Amino acid sequence: RMDASHRYGQYTNKKFQPIWSIAGRYNMEQESWFPEFFDAFAPRISVGIQGHIPSTVGPNLVVRYPSVLIHAQSGEYILNISRLPYPDLRWEKTTTVNYAIDFPLFRGRLSGALEYYHKKTTDAIDLLAVPYEYGVTSAYRNGADIKNYGFEMALTFVPVQTRDFRWDITTTYARNNNKALAVKTKNVYTVEDYLAGNVIADDTPLNSIYSWKFSGIDQQTGYATFEHTGEEADVSLDPKDYLVYSGRKDPKFSGGLIMGFQYKNWSLSSQWAFAWGHVKRLNYLFEGDFLMPQPHQNLSTRLLDAWQKPGRYRHSRFYDRRHP
């Protein structure tokens, strides 16, 4: 299949993107030598390429009339930019390879699937902060190559199955890794970008969070103190030089448990899910413009874990032991 889009580029060779996939499956249970307790055993593999295009880009400049046509200070006619031209933007291309095995056993009482995937995205499209002289604050670019890889597993058990009743249990587990491989255009990131997890850097997981380095407790005020947050901070330094890596916002591991019961025409199901290997910012302990909560405010139970005596902050749940 060949897709073409006039949203991309002024050159003909940039408008077309081949999209294809191929897959194969081997039903090994049909071989005479294969064990009979397998209902099926089917290794499969698939390879394909996909393309992505934002619906908000195009090769031409698009402007609009503002509600006030004449600038108040200059007296000149003005137009607002709806969309910048992107004559050099290319397709975002993702190559995916999947390896998997399906294996039901014992007449369906036990079945499972294992799958490993590897995705390589080239010319990934993201937003680049630009000076306001462009008329906008950000612009699209082919910014980096990104790799995603991991595996997924699903197992289903049927402990009880009678004429009128069935009980089945399904467990799932997944592991995912990603990182930027080659950042083509370096962005000028601010401290806020690092703290929020918006930085795309070479050989770094996407959505990585950085934090101020904890330096202790002010014995006079009881406030937490952090390095490079006072007057000594050098704004010319790269924020990565004085911030510390805290982790990624996307879970490394995820999974779940699904349990279902069926009796004649009645069914009941429940589902549990888990995820770990990621970090997130704590919510504010209380909201408001005052330094202390008001008497009528509800407070987080995390306040119970705060330190109350000198030196006890190292035993608090708020204390990060990786950065003493």
Side-chain angles (χ1 to χ4, degrees):
R1 165 179 162 181
M2 179 75 73
D3 285 355
S5 174
H6 289 283
R7 295 185 183 277
Y8 276 133
Q10 57 187 337
Y11 306 108
T12 302
N13 62 346
K14 292 185 179 180
K15 300 180 186 295
F16 291 89
Q17 166 63 30
I19 297 175
W20 58 268
S21 64
I22 184 172
R25 171 175 169 145
Y26 178 24
N27 296 320
M28 298 180 65
E29 76 281 356
Q30 297 182 6
E31 302 290 347
S32 58
W33 48 264
F34 205 76
E36 295 183 356
F37 59 83
F38 279 95
D39 302 333
F41 192 88
R44 50 188 170 88
I45 182 174
S46 62
V47 182
I49 293 180
Q50 295 177 317
H52 171 67
I53 174 174
S55 60
T56 55
V57 303
N60 303 312
L61 175 66
V62 178
V63 298
R64 69 179 186 275
Y65 287 110
S67 57
V68 179
L69 296 178
I70 299 178
H71 194 273
Q73 282 73 37
S74 67
E76 299 289 339
Y77 286 96
I78 58 176
L79 289 174
N80 290 338
I81 295 177
S82 293
R83 186 179 70 197
L84 286 176
Y86 293 97
D88 299 318
L89 200 65
R90 302 180 298 278
W91 281 84
E92 178 182 289
K93 300 173 286 292
T94 300
T95 302
T96 305
V97 180
N98 292 76
Y99 305 93
I101 297 176
D102 301 316
F103 52 94
L105 299 88
F106 309 116
R107 298 182 180 180
R109 299 298 289 269
L110 172 63
S111 61
L114 300 175
E115 181 171 354
Y116 172 82
Y117 63 90
H118 185 282
K119 295 183 179 181
K120 171 75 177 297
T121 299
T122 57
D123 293 330
I125 297 175
D126 64 349
L127 286 172
L128 174 70
V130 296
Y132 198 67
E133 288 80 1
Y134 282 85
V136 295
T137 57
S138 59
Y140 287 101
R141 63 166 180 173
N142 295 108
D145 295 343
I146 298 173
K147 180 172 72 171
N148 283 273
Y149 61 97
F151 70 89
E152 299 175 352
M153 177 182 68
L155 294 174
T156 299
F157 309 90
V158 184
V160 180
Q161 183 172 6
T162 65
R163 178 178 178 182
D164 296 325
F165 180 78
R166 176 185 171 93
W167 172 26
D168 58 78
I169 303 172
T170 299
T171 61
T172 61
Y173 177 80
R175 166 73 187 268
N176 176 261
N177 294 281
N178 64 58
K179 65 178 179 179
L181 296 178
V183 179
K184 298 178 173 61
T185 305
K186 301 297 182 181
N187 203 347
V188 179
Y189 291 110
T190 64
V191 172
E192 288 74 18
D193 292 324
Y194 280 89
L195 298 177
N198 298 328
V199 175
I200 301 177
D202 290 334
D203 295 321
T204 303
L206 302 180
N207 299 317
S208 293
I209 293 180
Y210 292 78
S211 303
W212 297 103
K213 187 175 182 180
F214 178 70
S215 58
I217 298 293
D218 189 317
Q219 298 299 318
Q220 300 298 322
T221 64
Y223 294 158
T225 59
F226 302 88
E227 295 183 9
H228 298 282
T229 56
E231 296 180 356
E232 77 280 1
D234 186 351
V235 295
S236 65
L237 292 176
D238 185 343
K240 200 172 182 180
D241 294 336
Y242 54 82
L243 297 177
V244 292
Y245 177 74
S246 298
R248 49 186 253 182
K249 294 191 290 185
D250 300 323
K252 290 183 180 179
F253 309 94
S254 61
L257 173 67
I258 302 173
M259 192 173 300
F261 302 90
Q262 183 174 353
Y263 178 71
K264 294 186 177 180
N265 293 327
W266 296 86
S267 62
L268 176 67
S269 63
S270 61
Q271 181 173 347
W272 293 266
F274 67 86
W276 78 78
H278 61 295
V279 296
K280 67 175 184 178
R281 300 289 184 199
L282 293 176
N283 294 327
Y284 288 108
L285 297 179
F286 62 90
E287 297 180 356
D289 298 327
F290 301 96
L291 295 179
M292 293 295 292
Q294 298 300 298
H296 61 274
Q297 282 185 287
N298 292 325
L299 302 178
S300 171
T301 56
R302 286 184 175 272
L303 278 174
L304 299 175
D305 299 318
W307 68 279
Q308 301 178 30
K309 297 180 180 180
R312 295 293 296 174
Y313 68 89
R314 294 180 181 272
H315 303 281
S316 170
R317 288 175 56 188
F318 298 113
Y319 174 63
D320 190 347
R321 291 169 177 80
R322 295 174 297 175
H323 313 296

